[in-house]
Amino acid sequence: MNPVVDGILSVFLDLFRQPAIIVALISLVGLAVQRKSFSDVLKGTVRTLVGFLVLAAGAGVVVGSLGFFGEMFQHAFNVQGVVPNNEAIVGQVLLKYGSAAALIFFFGMIVNIALAALTRFKFIYLSGHVAFYIAAMIAVILGVAGFDTWAVVLWGSLAQGVYMTLSPALIQPFMRKVTGNDDVALGHTGGVGIALSGLVATVTRGKGNSKSTEDIKFPNGLGFLRDTTVIVALSMAVIYVIVGLFAGAPYIEDKLSDGQNFLVFLLMQAATFSAGVFIILAGVRVVLAEIIPAFKGISDRLVKNAKPALDVPIVFPFAPNAVLIGFLSSFVGGIVGLVAMVFMGGAIIVPGVVAHFMTGAASGVIGNAAGGRRGAMLGAFANGLAITFLPLLLLPVLGEIGFANSTFSDADYGIVGLFLGWLSVGGGQIAVIAGILVSIVAMFVATFALRGRDRRRAAVAATDDAAESESISAK
């Protein structure tokens, strides 16, 4: 390829791998098509960009704190095995499949927009970083299946676009309960586990109204626990100290804290975790305030009734107590799954703390909306089991990448990966192509069926209105 063209393509792909830039561009386009003033367009675009960077910065703070916790946990309980970590596994994947992954990611976005415009699934997937990760996994599986590079990009882009369109749709019935409207969707590779949380919460809800995690009553003397920042910091301090005591002061001070007293280090990490959550919540509020009005322009002009599908922290402000409950419940599910694997023999999936926080917290919020406190705990626990066993099942279809000491962490990697991988094992390349095409056809069939249902309902409603009008006239 021409070096100049290659350089331009590299810059272009790098830009679109940045979720903050994607969301800011969406805001810019949305405001521009509404013919807002230059001042409003500039302000909305910059605030969206900065708000998303604030959100990402908070997530980085949380991930850094959880990194220490994960190392302590493995050392404390002498657990060795495959660690689900998207960043680690993608780093290995890109060495061999980097170009294919980048092209799948880019063309997959175009397919997502086209499917949103042509079908009833009106979701534009804006979580660019995790979309890139799943593009990398699709590139691996199609490469292992023996596809030529051009075919990996072609069929991978179609698979990516289908995934990006359907994943938010799976969670949207529960998102409506969380937000109270249909303005925003959730786009993340933990979607199946989060939707499973909502389903489990619904099934286990019981009779009557389940009490919300946000209605937890504290005695007057413990009124400080009503503050989310305080309760997160205190809860995490207890958890860090307990695990730290099992890990031992010498290990922490030699390997993690750079000589700092281990208790001081643990308490500071707990406070840092809480600070990260605080930053995330602030960023989410800014992004929501800007992206939803801007997205109306896209909805009105480009993709009718389109909804932005944003990263999991978007749900955190709706039930902050459920965030902590969901994380802990999901992590417990991961530990239960780990113990089960020890007895089963074979590979062991070590709980990925970051995955359990991000998807577990969202599962807690979704579970709380669908089934109250019980739903938050049981739903997030189910997510924890899902993101423990699905990565285990995924390992065999990843080829040599599956023998690495890390793997993809969230539930959607398991579902999409197993779908494509098992088709490849069972029927080869033809089965993979057929599976992707059948998925697209099914989306259009569902669209026509839903449109027919809506027309029938409209006709019945019109008939009822006419009959009511005649009845009133007769009287």
Side-chain angles (χ1 to χ4, degrees), residues 9-72:
L9 179 62
S10 176
V11 171
F12 191 68
L13 291 174
D14 282 344
L15 283 173
F16 277 84
R17 278 202 291 263
Q18 298 294 324
I21 292 177
I22 294 173
V23 175
L25 288 175
I26 291 290
S27 181
L28 186 151
V29 171
L31 293 169
V33 298
Q34 293 181 75
R35 298 181 180 178
K36 297 288 186 180
S37 68
F38 173 79
S39 175
D40 288 342
V41 172
L42 181 64
K43 182 178 72 174
T45 302
V46 172
R47 282 181 60 84
T48 302
L49 175 66
V50 172
F52 205 95
L53 290 175
V54 169
L55 189 160
V61 172
V62 168
V63 168
S65 177
L66 290 177
F68 291 120
F69 180 81
E71 293 180 45
M72 282 196 307

Side-chain angles (χ1 to χ4, degrees), residues 65-115:
S65 177
L66 290 177
F68 291 120
F69 180 81
E71 293 180 45
M72 282 196 307
F73 182 87
Q74 291 188 57
H75 179 80
F77 301 106
N78 195 28
V79 177
Q80 298 296 324
V82 179
V83 181
N85 184 284
N86 296 327
E87 287 73 20
I89 190 67
V90 167
Q92 298 177 55
V93 168
L94 295 184
L95 295 176
K96 186 174 182 179
Y97 299 98
S99 297
L103 291 171
I104 288 171
F105 167 70
F106 175 71
F107 289 113
M109 286 195 300
I110 296 175
V111 174
N112 173 212
I113 294 170
L115 289 174

Side-chain angles (χ1 to χ4, degrees), residues 152-176:
V152 169
V153 174
L154 171 62
W155 299 111
S157 298
L158 290 174
Q160 174 92 352
V162 170
Y163 165 75
M164 293 171 76
T165 311
L166 289 182
S167 177
L170 186 66
I171 316 170
Q172 194 61 12
F174 303 111
M175 276 294 289
R176 284 193 287 267

Side-chain angles (χ1 to χ4, degrees), residues 270-290:
T272 300
F273 179 94
S274 182
V277 173
F278 181 88
I279 297 170
I280 287 173
L281 297 180
V284 166
R285 293 186 184 99
V286 174
V287 171
L288 279 178
E290 298 297 332

